[in-house]
């Protein structure tokens, strides 16, 4: 449990997961700085069948002005507080999404994908994969938040249950 | 574009070659600019405008022959004949277009021109490809074809010869009309309308250019005609240039040309009264005199006037071209990239960051390439500008037992485990003995790394080749007896391999002979010679026996037929020392002294993958029993590595560094583990978990290199033999008994056997009725759970 964005957040304690996330996010950060990341996707798959059960997609848009105008924008920049509040809202929404997401009874595994521009430097640990899309998915668009540089859209797609 | 949209179909029609007989008309590329070769330009134009070109045609509700014609135009290219013919055809077009004002007239001329000059072919020369030899033949063919399959026009014409046409109009209006018709715009009659598309089809390939030329055309072109032109998309640049040329010539103060049309008109009028022959003569005279001139003009314009087409093309690039549905193309993208292709790359890069990503990586060699690619990508819905990446760290670190147990705990889903008060954390202890279960004597074993002298049949008989003799040891009875003794002095046994049903034993010899022995009768069934040197390794796949030779060749023998050699797999350049078929018989893995691992498909004689990763000879090869496409390969003294391969994709999944020469790898069927046997310098056996690479056991097995290993049919015992002449049996993968009495014999049971690492096994029973050697620990004490006695 840590406090971030103004509320208690649960963080993993498993060291392997921590190191995995650290390594991965390091690279994602590098790409973000270069404004190469278009989307970050987290996919939850069934362990046995490798079928995609849930897909969380975060689109990252870089507000262009930032690139071309060195002078500060006339519009007021968002304070950290505001940004945190927006993030908090998204976090709450994600947590609340458990109400409509289907139950996952089987053993699952997750993976994180990153959609980037073509001309990125790809280190050895990263490889090209497919999009991990869900067929006939139910999509729910979540809140988005923006900073002075980026705008993030969040969306979750999940497989419709057969009996519904 | 939807998958089945007409646009896409036509776009693909563009790409697919059109059979000649479909070519309805002389389609040629106009060498609009002298710089590019006609073909290239043709293609480019077609690609550029392909979508638009062909999209328009359905709107015209014309037959597919138009599409075919257009597509055919692509493939025809610009041959000299085609150009010439097309030129003539254009002439005819323009003329007959004029004639079409009064349909009977054109019909008349059609009929009369059976033997007429080249100019008199009908404008609807759609049916026949122009790539024939003489113009005249062509024309007559065209005529005939036209007659056969043209629209009402001809029939009407045929029938209405007598009636005078409505040519009693002032020359000027005639002119205007004619020019408009020439321009290929508004057809005066429905029949001409029907005919005109085909008319225009002849010209193709640069509808865009034509379209561009429409605004640049003279004021004779009415807006309506423009639209019609756009709609038809069939009138082409050549036509337009011709027409514009004509119009210009018409408009110019040059009287003679203006008179041309007048005369033609008048001849048309005359035609009603004169005989066809006379008409012919008139025609010829007028046409030849004037037409030649204009033809020359036209030709000049065409060949010299590179300006207009160029201009047109530029206009096209700036996006001013006819596209019926803008949604079909990503215009911004396309424009950006088109501009990119031509303009300064730096500027474009700055302006269009998205396109820079395309240019940055793949240096486009030509604009057409890019555009073509983009269209395909758009058609297929593939995004060219981004990549999807996923993080695959190398799992090289060794997991601790604690973490494993934690994972076992965490992964236990409440719905999957039996709710039991004592089932919170149940770990079964498994012990791996470090001393052999049994030791046998193996005198005379050749101390040669490259041979494969040990195999264990499914009927529980161990075959071992000692010098000249193959001994069979029955594991159940403990009896040993010799099976084969090779005659002579030099010959020795170099490999043994049991068939899958255990009834035949294949024996390879130093002389290159491969023998098949029947076990029941203890007789030699077959001898398959032919190898030039010793057969160092054998592997069975149903009725196919693969033999690896010292010269690097692998032969597949079908043991049922007379001509047993059914395949020769040649890739290794040095001795083949590792050879093993996958259990389903789909793939064959081979390793050689040339440090290569080859993965062959059952049906081919060319390896699917060749892996040079090892730095020494690859003798250790083993397919994973629980994962279909996983192959483990181990390298020799200088390599000491075990590589894991996905044989479907060819990817190296993992690598394990060991401390000594790897002589063999054996996968456990019982546990998710494998055992590797080593030679220099440790001479040991190591048991690892997979995919964790966790070292479970390390056993000092022999005093010298462990040369060969074999696993028992029940998967529990591994036999190893070394050059210290000992054959030892190790119970590495002992199956653990299920306490709830499902048959208490050591062999038969289910479930619990996964032991410590079996966290994907979900029915852990309560340990209450543990029997035999089972000991289970509950709760804590996760360390040291696998003790080695």
């Amino acid at each position: 449990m840590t406090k971030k964005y103004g509320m208690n957040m649960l963080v993993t304690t498993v060291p392997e997961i921590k190191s995995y996330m650290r390594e991965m996010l390091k690279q994602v950060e590098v790409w973000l700085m270069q404004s190469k990341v278009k989307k970050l996707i987290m996919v939850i798959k069934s362990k046995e069948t490798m079928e995609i059960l849930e897909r969380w997609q975060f689109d990252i848009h870089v507000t262009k002005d930032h690139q071309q105008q060195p002078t500060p924008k006339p519009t007021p920049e968002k304070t950290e507080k505001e940004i945190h509040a927006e993030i908090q809202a998204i976090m709450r929404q994600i947590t609340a999404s458990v109400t409509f997401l289907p139950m996952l009874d089987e053993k699952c595994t997750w993976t994180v994908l990153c959609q980037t521009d073509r001309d990125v430097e790809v280190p050895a640990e990263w490889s090209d994969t497919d999009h991990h899309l869900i067929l006939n998915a139910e999509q729910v668009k979540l809140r988005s938040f923006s900073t002075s540089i980026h705008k993030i859209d969040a969306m979750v797609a999940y497989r419709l249950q057969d009996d519904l | 574009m939807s998958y089945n949209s007409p646009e896409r179909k036509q776009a693909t029609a563009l790409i697919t070659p059109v059979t000649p007989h479909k070519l309805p008309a002389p389609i040629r590329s106009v060498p609009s600019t002298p710089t590019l070769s006609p073909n290239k330009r043709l293609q480019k134009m077609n690609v550029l405008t392909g979508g638009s070109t062909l999209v328009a045609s359905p709107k015209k509700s014309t037959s597919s022959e138009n599409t075919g014609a257009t597509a055919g135009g692509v493939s025809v290219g610009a041959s000299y004949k085609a150009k010439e013919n097309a030129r003539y055809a254009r002439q005819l077009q323009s003329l007959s277009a004029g004639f079409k004002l009064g349909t009977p007239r054109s019909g008349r001329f059609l009929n009369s021109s059976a033997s007429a000059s080249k100019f008199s072919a009908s404008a609807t020369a759609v049916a026949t490809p122009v790539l024939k030899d003489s113009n005249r033949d062509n024309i007559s063919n065209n005529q005939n074809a036209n007659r056969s399959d043209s629209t009402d026009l001809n029939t009407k014409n045929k029938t209405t010869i007598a009636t005078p046409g409505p040519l009693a109009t002032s020359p000027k209006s005639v002119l205007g009309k004619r020019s408009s018709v020439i321009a290929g715009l508004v057809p005066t009659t429905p029949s001409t309308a029907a005919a005109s598309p085909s008319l225009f089809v002849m010209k193709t390939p640069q509808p865009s250019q034509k379209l561009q030329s429409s605004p640049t055309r003279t004021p004779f072109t009415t807006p309506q005609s423009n639209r019609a032109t756009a709609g038809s998309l069939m009138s082409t640049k050549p036509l337009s240039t011709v027409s514009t040329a004509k119009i210009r010539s018409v408009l110019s103060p040059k009287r003679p040309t203006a008179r041309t049309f007048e005369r033609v008109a008048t001849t048309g009028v005359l035609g009603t009264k004169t005989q066809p022959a006379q008409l012919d003569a008139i025609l010829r005279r007028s046409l030849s005199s004037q037409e030649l001139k204009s033809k020359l003009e036209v030709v000049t314009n065409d060949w010299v006037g590179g300006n207009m087409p160029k201009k047109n093309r530029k206009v096209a690039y700036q996006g001013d071209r006819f596209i019926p549905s803008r949604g079909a193309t990503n215009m911004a993208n396309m424009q950006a990239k088109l501009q990119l292709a031509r303009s300064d790359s730096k500027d474009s890069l700055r302006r269009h960051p998205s396109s820079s990503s395309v240019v940055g990586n793949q240096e486009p060699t030509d604009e057409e390439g890019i555009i073509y690619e983009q269209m395909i990508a758009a058609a297929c819905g593939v995004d060219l500008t981004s990549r999807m990446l996923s993080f695959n760290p190398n799992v090289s670190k060794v997991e601790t037992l604690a973490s494993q147990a934690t994972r076992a705990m965490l992964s236990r889903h409440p719905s999957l485990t039996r709710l039991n008060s004592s089932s919170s954390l149940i770990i079964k202890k498994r012990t791996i003995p470090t001393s052999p279960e049994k030791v046998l004597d193996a005198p005379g074993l050749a101390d040669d790394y490259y041979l494969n002298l040990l195999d264990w049949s499914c009927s529980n008989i161990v075959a071992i080749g000692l010098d000249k003799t193959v001994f069979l040891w029955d594991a159940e009875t403990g009896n040993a007896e010799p099976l084969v003794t090779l005659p002579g002095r030099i010959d020795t046994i170099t490999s043994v391999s049991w068939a899958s049903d255990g009834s035949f034993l294949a024996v390879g010899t130093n002389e290159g002979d491969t023998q098949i022995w029947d076990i029941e009768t203890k007789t030699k069934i077959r001898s398959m010679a032919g190898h030039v040197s010793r057969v160092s390794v054998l592997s069975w796949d149903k009725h196919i026996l693969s033999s690896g030779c010292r010269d690097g060749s692998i032969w597949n023998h079908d043991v049922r037929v007379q001509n047993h050699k059914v395949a020769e797999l040649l890739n290794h350049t040095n001795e083949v020392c590792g050879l093993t078929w996958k259990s389903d018989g789909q793939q064959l893995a081979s390793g050689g002294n040339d440090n290569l691992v080859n993965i062959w498909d059952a049906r081919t004689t060319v390896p699917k993958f060749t892996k040079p990763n090892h730095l020494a000879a690859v003798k250790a090869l083993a397919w994973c029993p629980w994962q279909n496409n996983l192959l483990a390969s181990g390298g020799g003294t200088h390599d000491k590595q075990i590589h894991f391969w996905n044989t479907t994709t060819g990817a190296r999944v993992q690598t394990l560094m060991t401390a000594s020469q790897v002589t063999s790898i054996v996968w456990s069927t019982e546990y998710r583990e494998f055992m590797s046997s080593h030679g220099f310098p440790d001479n040991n056996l190591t048991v690892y978990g997979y995919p964790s690479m966790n070292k479970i056991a390390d056993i000092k097995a022999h005093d010298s290199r462990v040369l060969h290993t074999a696993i028992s049919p029940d998967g529990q015992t591994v036999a190893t033999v070394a050059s210290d002449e000992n054959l030892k049996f190790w119970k590495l993968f002992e199956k653990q008994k299920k306490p709830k009495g499902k048959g208490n014999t050591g062999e038969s049971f289910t479930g619990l056997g996964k032991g410590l690492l079996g966290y994907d096994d979900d029915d852990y029973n309560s340990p209450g009725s543990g029997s035999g050697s089972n000991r289970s620990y509950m709760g804590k004490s996760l360390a040291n759970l696998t003790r080695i006695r």
Side-chain angles (χ1 to χ4, degrees), chain B residues 77-121:
Chain B
S79 66
Y80 171 74
K81 277 271 154 57
K83 285 179 203 160
E84 228 188 84
N85 292 336
R87 210 189 312 139
Y88 290 128
R90 254 185 294 111
Q91 309 307 317
L92 300 167
Q93 260 188 28
S94 50
L95 279 177
S96 54
F99 300 150
K100 268 205 205 70
L101 285 177
T103 49
R105 212 132 290 119
S106 46
R108 220 174 303 125
F109 285 122
L110 266 178
N111 291 334
S112 66
S113 58
S115 58
S117 66
K118 32 198 169 178
F119 302 115
S120 61

Side-chain angles (χ1 to χ4, degrees), chain B residues 233-307:
Chain B
L233 256 202
M234 291 312 168
S235 51
T236 65
K237 188 216 131 262
L239 178 58
S240 61
T241 48
V242 171
S243 53
T244 43
K246 272 224 169 317
I247 292 163
R248 259 194 252 114
S249 67
V250 161
L251 286 178
S252 70
K254 278 192 241 163
R255 293 294 171 83
T257 47
R259 246 184 263 127
T260 309
F261 291 96
E262 286 177 282
R263 208 171 295 152
V264 162
T266 49
T267 50
V269 172
L270 280 173
T272 56
K273 295 170 192 160
T274 59
Q275 292 299 315
Q278 287 179 5
L279 198 65
D280 248 1
I282 295 165
L283 240 187
R284 221 176 282 130
R285 247 186 290 125
S286 61
L287 289 178
S288 52
S289 57
Q290 295 303 327
E291 269 310 305
L292 270 174
K293 229 191 265 174
S294 43
K295 180 182 81 177
L296 282 172
E297 278 175 358
V298 168
V299 169
T300 313
N301 280 340
D302 255 359
W303 287 99
V304 170
N307 300 330

Side-chain angles (χ1 to χ4, degrees), chain B residues 712-735:
Chain B
S712 62
D714 66 353
Q716 298 189 68
T717 311
V718 175
T720 65
V721 69
S723 51
D724 62 1
E725 298 185 350
N726 284 332
L727 172 61
K728 300 187 181 178
F729 295 85
W730 312 82
K731 199 137 186 137
L732 300 176
F733 307 115
E734 184 165 2
K735 292 184 186 174

Side-chain angles (χ1 to χ4, degrees), chain B residues 148-280:
Chain B
S148 59
D149 64 357
S150 61
T151 60
D152 326 332
L153 172 66
N154 283 344
T155 53
K156 214 200 248 180
N157 295 338
K158 280 184 202 153
T159 52
T160 59
I161 288 176
T163 61
L167 243 161
T169 51
S170 66
K172 252 204 177 145
S173 63
V174 162
L175 217 77
K177 264 200 199 164
R178 266 215 208 90
S179 56
S180 70
V181 176
I182 288 167
L185 307 175
V186 183
T188 48
T189 66
S191 52
T192 56
S196 51
S198 49
L199 210 181
F200 304 140
V201 166
M202 281 165 49
K203 293 318 169 173
T204 1
Q206 293 108 11
S208 71
Q209 291 189 350
K210 178 271 309 176
L211 288 165
Q212 299 328 308
S213 65
S214 33
T216 64
R217 232 179 280 174
T218 65
F220 269 70
T221 69
T222 64
Q224 188 192 2
S225 55
N226 269 343
R227 243 181 288 119
T229 316
S232 73
L233 256 202
M234 291 312 168
S235 51
T236 65
K237 188 216 131 262
L239 178 58
S240 61
T241 48
V242 171
S243 53
T244 43
K246 272 224 169 317
I247 292 163
R248 259 194 252 114
S249 67
V250 161
L251 286 178
S252 70
K254 278 192 241 163
R255 293 294 171 83
T257 47
R259 246 184 263 127
T260 309
F261 291 96
E262 286 177 282
R263 208 171 295 152
V264 162
T266 49
T267 50
V269 172
L270 280 173
T272 56
K273 295 170 192 160
T274 59
Q275 292 299 315
Q278 287 179 5
L279 198 65
D280 248 1

Side-chain angles (χ1 to χ4, degrees), chain A residues 114-116 118 125 127-128, chain B residues 361 386-390 392:
Chain A
C114 185
Q115 186 170 336
T116 64
R118 266 268 145 138
E125 288 91 31
S127 59
D128 288 279
Chain B
N361 273 354
S386 62
R387 318 165 62 156
M388 190 66 91
L389 299 161
S390 79
N392 305 313

